[in-house]
Each structure stands twice: as C-alpha cells, then as structure tokens.
Amino acid sequence: MARRYDSRTTIFSPEGRLYQVEYAMEAIGHAGTCLGIMASDGILLATEKRNTNKLLDEVSYSEKIYRLYDDMACSVAGITADANVLTNELRLIAQRYILQYQESIPCEQLVSTLCDVKQAYTQFGGKRPFGVSILYMGWDKHYGFQLYQSDPSGNYGGWKATCIGNNSANAISLLKQEYKDDNTINLQAALDLSIKVLAKTLDMTKLTPDKVEIATLTRENNKTVMRILKDPEVEVHIKKYEEEEAKLEAEKKKEADKKKA
Amino acid sequence: MECLIGIQGKDFVLIATDTISARSVVAMKDDHDKMYPLSDNLLMAVCGEAGDSIQFSEYIAKNVQLYKMRNGYELSPRAAANFTRRNMAESLRSSRSHLVNLLIAGYDKDEGPSLFFLDYLASLNKMPFAIHGHGSLFALSIMDKYYEKDLDFAGASALLMKCITEIQKRFIVNLGKFRVRIVDKDGIHDKGTVAPEPVVAA
C-alpha cells in the first residue's frame, strides 16, 4: 500500500522509506550516463550526450558539464531543469565563500552545503526533491584531487571512480574490476578506462566522439586547468580502445580455433 | 591611548600590546591581556571601544573554532583575516558597528608568517610591521628606519625595544610594560613582558 505514503515528501512510509526520494533516484536511472574517475595527476568526467538532434544549436560550453568556480566542475544526471537550479546554487555558494574568505571554497564544503539544501526538500516545505544526481570533480589545498557524488536524498560520498545515470550499476561493477586501487593510474590511462566502460555500458553499437563529452581537471603551475576534450582527442582514445578490443577478439578466436583442432 | 605593535620576522610574527586598561583618565589595570588566540597558529590583538573589543574578538575567535570543528582543518591566516574584515565591514554598514582596531598574526605552512592590519573602518592590509594607537605616530618612523626583512627573534625584540622606548619618551601617556607573544609554525608562544629602557633626561 505504498500509494498512500507517496504524495508528500515529508513523511515516512510504514517500512521507514521516503518514497519520493526513491522515485527521484528512479528518474535519474533513466538519464544519460555520467562517470567520473580520479587519477594521480587529475580527474575526468565523461558523459553520454543524448541531445544529438541535428537541429539543436551548438551549446556555449557544454551540455552536461558545468564549471562551478576556478577549482571545481560538475556533471549531472537527471532532470535538466532541476540541474540548472542546483548548479546555479552551487555557483552562488562558491562565490559567497570567496566573498567572505577571499579564497576558493574547499571541495567537500561546497558539496556538503548543497546537500544540506537538497536534504531540506526531503524533510519540510512540501516540495518534491530535485531529480538530479551530481558528480563533482575538484582540487583544493587540503586534500588535492577529489571526486564526489551527491543524490536527491542529500547524501554525498567521496569516490575514486563512480557512475550515475543509465546502466550505472554495470559501469560501476566494471570499474570495480578494472580500477587499480593503488593510486598509480594516470589521467591518460583513466581516459582509456572511461572509454572502455562507456563503450560497454551505453546501448549503442559504436562509440563516436559526438556521443560522449569528456572533461578533465588537472593542476598546472599552481593553477587548476579544466578542459573539455575536443573530438579528435576523444577519437584517439576510442581508436585505442577499438584496437585493443580487436586484439582481444583475435586472441580469443585463436584460442577457440586451437581448442577445435 | 592603547598601543598594538606587530613585527613580521623570518619565520614568525611578533605581537606586543600595552597592558593598561583605562577609562577616561584612570588606569584601572596594568596587567590587561589584549591578545586573543583564534586558533593554534593565529593570534589577534585588539584595541578600541571597551565592550566592542571583547565582543567582536570573541565572536571571531569562536567562529574560527567552529570552522575547524565543522571541517576538520583550520582557516588559513589570510582567510581568517578576510573573514574578520567582512564581518567588520558588514557591521560598519549597520546599526551595530564595532569600534575596534586589530592586528592579526598567523603562520601558514604554505605561505609562512603573515601580519594583517585591520582598522575600525574595515580596511585590511598585509604588512611587514604595523602599529595601532597614538604610539604609531612615534614608532612607525622608527620601524621605517630600522626594520629589515627576515629578522630573527633577537632582531625583532631589539626593534620592539627601540619602538617602545621612543613611545615612552615622547608619548604623554606612560604606557608602561608591553606583553609580547610570537606566532610560528609551532604555535603561539608567550614571551613575557618588556618594559621600556629608563628615559635619561636629555
């Protein structure tokens, strides 16, 4: 009889669940995939581009990746309109901190402050929660490179690699196998890994640069540098992945032939 | 009538404050401590309106501590000084202004020692040496002449002695002894009190 406990966000069900929050997470499960991987010398966010309609005009910076302030960027999965409200709030939080302290906000504080806002929508006000999960990549002087994920419940966590959106469970299990936990993976290897994971989890036959958007965050000369990879660069990684896959296929075939013989 | 002196050395900052607590022409106390530790590596010296100085400095000190509790790491001296300035600026533009002058001294592991001068109009400057109060009229020129970069503690103490001796000689109010503290990478250290050298009749 979950129906009777659905309509208001601010009440628990008899089993102690908040259905509206869970439904919000359900909405995100259908949205475009977003994955993040932390390397020793940088972080990347890779997103699946869904708006590949030819009639769409070129977006200014990016479809799903937002610059929050000098040292942090985020990508979103879920209801785009909700995402715009939240990213605007994130930028406000960051600038308010800079106004007060004249230095950049540490990454976790930004995530935490926004999550307090998200949590409020699950407890009072009678409004629905935001249907957005966010992946944040950033750098600060306390903890260096950091990757965070937040969801509609207002919960957040720090990750080495994670994924949100469509097929995220598959992606995460693949990352678990492939991501070496010894902090030696460098950004180029992380980029290769992200292409591999995306290729295996997106429901498409072939991965092309116009279907993914990858952004990286690194430090150069004591400054944070955030870049969106151009199509040719993405193509390099895709080609590398395809060559490796072809090699593996060839080896498998050889083994199978050997066995037959 | 109060005097706060700050000198930045090679890897520490020295702060000296007078120890008189006065109301109008009466000196009530001669061992008053005008310095407030904001955190392990941050020290603030305050002078100005009687109640405001304690109110404002305690407010800032507790907020700096709250930041540390919430986040697990401390505010850098620069961030703490700017936070203080922002609070001062906002209170100035409201009905609850605080008439306080501050010196904020801190040591940051990346940026080294820093001394900030903050006055009651919320102007903030990072300076190698700074003085608040009437004493500044006499001692700033002493500092201009004798201050050098990268002083060690002995050098900074000698410079301090020159300053307070000049103030004792030329300022009409006898400020008596000064309390001295330094902030370095190991925290805040109390260096006791110093009295100016006796003035020899010219």
Side-chain angles (χ1 to χ4, degrees):
Chain A
M1 278 305 291
R3 289 275 151 200
R4 279 158 63 194
Y5 300 93
D6 276 9
S7 43
R8 287 172 50 194
T9 61
T10 56
I11 58 177
F12 284 106
S13 75
E15 306 93 54
R17 293 155 72 169
L18 291 168
Y19 279 113
Q20 282 297 304
V21 175
E22 290 181 21
Y23 296 161
M25 306 222 223
E26 188 57 37
I28 292 160
H30 300 305
T33 315
C34 238
L35 71 86
I37 304 179
M38 188 162 73
S40 57
D41 55 340
I43 321 184
L44 69 89
L45 290 174
T47 64
E48 171 197 356
K49 275 211 284 212
R50 282 252 177 109
N51 295 345
T52 48
N53 192 331
K54 279 207 288 207
L55 290 174
L56 268 183
D57 198 2
E58 278 249 331
V59 282
S60 50
Y61 181 67
S62 147
E63 181 189 308
K64 281 178 44 146
I65 301 189
Y66 301 80
R67 252 182 89 110
L68 299 178
Y69 65 99
D70 287 346
D71 297 312
M72 228 165 148
C74 73
S75 71
V76 296
I79 304 177
T80 311
D82 288 7
N84 289 336
V85 170
L86 287 181
T87 47
N88 192 39
E89 187 60 35
L90 282 164
R91 287 169 175 152
L92 271 171
I93 295 169
Q95 291 303 318
R96 273 186 214 124
Y97 187 97
I98 292 173
L99 182 63
Q100 196 164 62
Y101 296 101
Q102 295 297 314
E103 54 177 38
S104 288
I105 185 168
C107 300
E108 187 174 349
Q109 284 190 45
L110 178 60
V111 178
S112 171
T113 307
L114 184 78
C115 285
D116 288 344
V117 172
K118 287 210 243 188
Q119 187 277 344
Y121 283 78
T122 70
Q123 191 171 25
F124 46 81
K127 304 187 187 148
R128 67 166 174 80
F130 290 97
V132 191
S133 271
I134 310 179
L135 284 186
Y136 311 79
M137 64 176 180
W139 182 94
D140 67 30
K141 64 183 180 191
H142 302 284
Y143 296 115
F145 294 113
Q146 294 152 76
L147 175 67
Y148 290 98
Q149 177 191 331
S150 71
D151 60 31
S153 66
N155 203 14
Y156 72 90
W159 295 81
K160 296 172 193 159
T162 187
C163 183
I164 51 179
N166 196 13
N167 276 328
S168 52
N170 289 345
I172 289 179
S173 65
L174 195 54
L175 282 169
K176 245 200 240 178
Q177 290 170 8
E178 305 275 337
Y179 185 85
K180 287 188 197 28
D181 196 9
D182 51 2
N183 288 338
T184 56
I185 186 172
N186 67 14
L187 199 55
Q188 291 304 313
L191 282 163
D192 293 332
L193 178 57
S194 69
I195 294 286
K196 180 172 183 173
V197 173
L198 276 176
K200 296 207 161 149
T201 58
L202 294 184
D203 333 305
M204 51 181 71
T205 42
K206 190 168 153 49
L207 200 59
T208 55
D210 64 321
K211 293 199 189 107
V212 291
E213 192 162 48
I214 307 189
T216 59
L217 184 147
T218 49
R219 289 283 289 179
E220 280 160 41
N221 296 331
N222 269 334
K223 275 185 122 88
T224 304
V225 177
M226 287 184 268
R227 290 182 47 237
I228 304 224
L229 267 60
K230 302 233 184 318
D231 283 356
E233 294 174 272
V234 179
E235 188 60 46
V236 165
H237 290 280
I238 293 179
K239 269 214 158 42
K240 193 165 161 194
Y241 163 70
E242 284 171 354
E243 281 166 16
E244 296 227 346
E245 281 297 292
K247 248 203 295 195
L248 279 172
E249 279 296 313
E251 274 175 22
K252 264 196 221 154
K253 204 163 171 305
K254 258 207 291 195
E255 286 291 316
D257 288 342
K258 252 202 231 169
K259 279 209 181 120
K260 271 196 208 155
Chain B
M1 306 294 182
E2 302 175 277
C3 190
L4 311 175
I5 301 175
I7 303 172
Q8 180 185 328
K10 184 165 166 56
D11 50 7
F12 67 94
V13 184
L14 180 152
I15 300 251
T17 59
D18 74 291
T19 50
I20 306 266
S21 174
R23 293 289 173 272
S24 140
V25 297
V26 178
M28 295 192 299
K29 216 169 123 80
D30 65 356
D31 56 359
H32 188 209
D33 190 351
K34 300 185 188 181
M35 297 194 234
Y36 292 85
L38 299 182
S39 74
D40 293 339
N41 298 87
L42 262 176
L43 181 64
M44 186 161 74
V46 203
C47 69
E49 182 89 43
D52 287 354
S53 47
I54 303 176
Q55 181 82 342
F56 187 73
S57 40
E58 279 187 354
Y59 177 75
I60 298 296
K62 296 324 167 196
N63 266 288
V64 170
Q65 284 302 304
L66 179 61
Y67 185 97
K68 177 176 156 186
M69 290 304 154
R70 273 194 182 137
N71 300 305
Y73 41 78
E74 291 185 337
L75 271 173
S76 67
R78 176 177 296 273
N82 276 293
F83 170 72
T84 309
R85 192 210 80 83
R86 165 96 6 219
N87 272 70
M88 181 91 83
E90 280 169 8
S91 83
L92 188 62
R93 291 159 177 80
S94 71
S95 50
R96 298 167 297 105
S97 59
H98 298 98
L99 214 169
V100 283
N101 297 309
L102 311 169
L103 288 180
I104 301 177
Y107 188 90
D108 183 52
K109 62 176 176 44
D110 298 318
E111 298 212 1
S114 49
L115 173 67
F116 293 92
F117 170 98
L118 180 58
D119 75 1
Y120 71 102
L121 289 173
S123 71
L124 177 71
N125 291 92
K126 182 175 187 303
M127 298 167 71
F129 56 85
I131 312 184
H132 275 298
H134 291 97
S136 65
L137 269 62
F138 311 103
L140 276 175
S141 34
I142 302 286
M143 295 274 212
D144 279 336
K145 192 170 165 71
Y146 293 110
Y147 177 82
E148 285 161 5
K149 264 187 66 164
D150 295 341
L151 284 167
D152 59 5
F153 179 64
S157 299
L159 179 58
L160 176 69
M161 270 314 273
K162 287 195 172 71
C163 289
I164 60 182
T165 306
E166 185 70 11
I167 296 171
Q168 171 78 344
K169 185 170 174 189
R170 292 300 180 188
F171 186 35
I172 195 172
V173 174
N174 178 8
L175 287 178
K177 57 191 196 308
F178 278 69
R179 173 163 284 119
V180 182
R181 291 207 171 92
I182 63 166
V183 187
D184 62 18
K185 65 174 171 36
D186 301 318
I188 301 172
H189 309 283
D190 199 335
K191 293 293 187 186
T193 57
V194 288
E197 280 147 15
V199 174
V200 179

